[in-house]
């Protein structure tokens, strides 16, 4: 509660009221409402110390996207049949820079998911220290089992609907689940054809046309740099730690690569079909094999256990039942629930760092924090991906390409800085660092300050 001297009004953020108003306006959008609630619960105290935020309706303006573009994407499949999908771009907040965030192609994509991702992206991008606003886009198009030509035609049709809303200083998309280098290449190719300009209005591009070195590795590498900083504060290192990773896409690959390089043993990866447990560690050519598995387009990990008989495939199960020191969810939202958290805690897990966006449910987060183990949220841990996208934008703007060492050094510096912001804003009286609170407060304050400075718009 706070007495505002100027207006003599008592302010106190009423989270229940804000949430019920939001729910009435956006019924059933559970991921979006979940992401908003988490941030509001974290920032309540600092919000109440700033009555000017309330007077300017900062929260009410911040929780709604600036703009949503929705469009029908019509394309022709290999059989000559006409297919229809829905496409979206959620331009969430551009207070601190151009809209920036990935594109997701997955059958599960809907507005609730893209709004939660756009909301999270806004704070994540603020944490990177780079001038980028938040956005997210995508389609319910499923790349599973599609031919290369079908993927290309879909990407072209998608951009034909969206290109007018994009631009290097306006909105810069990138990849996410189902969108990697190939899809970015096809989308950028179509975009460039339409605008007839090489301004790099996409990140995650190929190295030969404006892409940044280290961008494919950046999300996983950045996550491990962040985990290294957490461990360093606890006088620990990655050396000898066992690690459970979920997923087997680009993010899981980068995380496995760096964790192994730092001396840890990665014992699991997973897919929609189940998980792989490899007691000898997923290292060397086995990490390269993840890329091969991914490029088959079938979205299954089972073949790993056929190729490497020392490994076991557990159909339909999640990896969180294995005994590990560190869990790195790298697949998708809400992939660690309350029961998974109990399993991890019962097996003595010490650190859970989300590399996926909102990888843990609120019940799982509460369980980790109650047990006083370290939990770090995706918007801090995985920010190295979008940060390196920001570095790609800088390289494009100056018409240069930096060395891998240069990009990696900047990525390191950015991750240190994010870790520092979390510690500064998230350290509790007993010395425990609540990384979720720290990340939410630091990201929120930066966006709120920028919105305040720019007036009521
Ligand atoms: O969730 C994310 O931060 C991303 N998918 C990357 C976004 C980007 O613009 O590089």
């Amino acid at each position: 509660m706070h007495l505002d001297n100027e207006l003599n009004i008592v302010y106190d953020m009423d989270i229940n009221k804000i949430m019920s108003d939001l729910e009435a306006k956006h019924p059933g959008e559970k991921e979006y409402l979940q992401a908003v609630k988490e941030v509001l619960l974290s920032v309540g105290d600092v919000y109440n110390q700033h009555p000017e935020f309330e007077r300017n309706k900062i929260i009410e303006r911040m929780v709604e996207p600036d703009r949503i573009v929705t469009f029908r994407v019509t394309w022709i499949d290999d059989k000559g049949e006409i297919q229809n999908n829905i496409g979206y771009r959620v331009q969430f907040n551009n207070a601190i820079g151009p809209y920036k965030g990935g594109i997701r192609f997955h059958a599960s994509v809907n507005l609730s998911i893209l709004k939660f991702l756009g909301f999270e992206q806004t704070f994540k991008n603020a944490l990177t220290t780079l001038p980028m606003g938040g956005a997210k886009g995508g389609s319910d198009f499923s790349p599973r089992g599609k031919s290369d030509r079908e993927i290309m035609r879909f990407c072209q049709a998608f951009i034909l609907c969206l290109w007018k809303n994009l631009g290097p200083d306006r909105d810069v998309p990138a990849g996410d689940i189902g969108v990697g280098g190939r899809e970015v290449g096809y989308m950028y190719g179509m975009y460039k054809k339409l605008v007839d300009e090489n301004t790099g209005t996409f990140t995650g591009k190929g190295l030969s046309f404006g892409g940044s070195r280290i961008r494919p590795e950046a999300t996983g590498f950045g996550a491990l740099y962040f985990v290294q900083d957490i461990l360093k504060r606890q006088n620990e290192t990655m050396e000898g730690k066992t690690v459970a990773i979920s997923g087997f896409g680009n993010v899981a690959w980068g995380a496995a690569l760096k964790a192994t390089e730092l001396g840890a043993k990665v014992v699991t990866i997973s897919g929609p079909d189940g998980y792989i447990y490899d007691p000898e560690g997923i290292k060397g050519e086995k990490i390269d094999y993840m890329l091969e598995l991914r490029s088959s387009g079938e979205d299954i990990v089972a073949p790993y256990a056929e190729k490497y008989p020392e490994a076991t495939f557990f159909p339909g199960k999640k990896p969180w039942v294995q005994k590990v020191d560190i869990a790195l969810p790298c697949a998708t939202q809400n992939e660690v629930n309350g029961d998974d958290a109990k399993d991890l805690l019962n097996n003595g897990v010490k650190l859970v760092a989300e590399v996926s966006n909102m990888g843990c449910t609120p019940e799982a987060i509460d369980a980790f924090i109650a047990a006083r183990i370290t939990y770090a949220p995706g918007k801090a841990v995985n920010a190295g991906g979008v940060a390196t996208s920001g570095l790609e934008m800088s390289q494009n703007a100056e018409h240069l390409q930096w060395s891998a060492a240069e990009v990696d050094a900047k990525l390191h510096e950015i991750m240190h800085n994010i870790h520092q912001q979390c510690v500064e804003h998230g350290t509790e009286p007993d010395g425990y660092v609540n990384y979720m609170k720290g990340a939410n407060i630091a990201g929120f304050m930066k966006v709120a300050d920028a919105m305040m400075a720019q007036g009521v718009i």
Side-chain angles (χ1 to χ4, degrees), residues 210-410:
S212 176
R213 294 196 169 83
I214 309 287
R215 179 63 190 86
E217 294 86 350
T219 310
F221 279 21
L224 266 298
Y225 298 157
F226 193 88
V227 168
Q228 270 190 302
D229 277 0
I230 295 175
L231 292 172
K232 196 168 164 201
R233 255 195 100 259
Q234 302 169 353
N235 296 318
E236 285 274 2
T237 69
M238 282 299 286
E239 188 71 43
K241 299 280 189 299
T242 47
V243 180
I245 284 180
S246 60
F248 69 110
N250 165 265
V251 172
W253 166 79
L257 207 57
K258 188 53 82 176
T260 306
E261 190 188 308
L262 296 175
K265 183 159 129 183
V266 176
V267 292
T268 69
I269 51 171
S270 72
D273 55 332
Y275 82 94
I276 293 286
Y277 176 70
D278 186 341
E280 291 179 16
I282 299 165
K283 55 177 190 273
E285 65 155 71
K286 291 173 171 177
I287 296 178
D288 300 336
Y289 180 65
M290 283 168 72
L291 296 177
E292 221 177 286
L293 265 181
R294 171 62 50 192
S295 67
S296 84
E298 286 185 65
D299 211 10
I300 51 171
V301 287
Y304 183 104
E306 287 157 34
K307 191 169 166 67
Y308 302 107
E310 62 274 25
T312 311
F313 173 60
F314 293 88
K317 295 269 185 292
K318 296 197 260 184
W320 316 126
V321 290
Q322 291 294 337
K323 182 175 168 53
V324 290
D325 301 308
I326 297 174
L328 301 177
C330 293
T332 194
Q333 67 274 353
N334 292 328
E335 55 173 315
V336 180
N337 63 29
D339 291 337
D340 300 324
K342 266 188 220 141
D343 286 338
L344 285 165
L345 288 167
N346 286 339
N347 279 324
V349 74
K350 303 278 184 334
L351 194 167
V352 179
E354 285 176 354
V355 197
S356 47
N357 291 309
M358 204 167 76
C360 298
T361 64
E363 294 74 30
I365 298 171
D366 288 349
F368 295 138
I369 292 177
R372 285 314 206 219
I373 66 142
T374 303
Y375 159 75
K379 61 171 78 72
V381 178
N382 74 28
V386 72
T388 307
S389 279
L391 302 178
E392 182 171 333
M393 289 166 71
S394 302
Q395 293 168 75
N396 293 164
E398 62 177 13
H399 304 282
L400 289 174
Q401 196 163 42
W402 303 340
S403 69
E406 211 171 337
V407 177
D408 199 36
K410 286 194 162 62

Side-chain angles (χ1 to χ4, degrees), residues 428-443:
E428 298 193 339
D430 64 358
Y432 174 78
V433 181
N434 183 332
Y435 283 87
M436 170 181 68
K437 193 170 160 195
N440 285 336
I441 292 175

Side-chain angles (χ1 to χ4, degrees), residues 100-102 121 124 136 174-176 203 215 357 382 385-386 389:
K100 180 83 196 87
Q121 197 80 45
K124 183 198 305 192
K136 207 83 192 190
D176 193 78
T203 61
R215 179 63 190 86
N357 291 309
N382 74 28
V386 72
S389 279

Side-chain angles (χ1 to χ4, degrees), residues 35 41 65 77 84 86 103 145 190 192 194 198 213 218 225 240 262 264 269 277 332 353 374 390-391 414 419 430 449:
L41 287 170
D77 70 16
N84 289 299
I86 311 178
I103 302 266
M190 189 60 169
K192 190 167 63 74
L194 291 162
N198 262 289
R213 294 196 169 83
Y225 298 157
L262 296 175
I269 51 171
Y277 176 70
T332 194
T374 303
L391 302 178
I414 289 168
H419 181 263
D430 64 358
D449 283 346

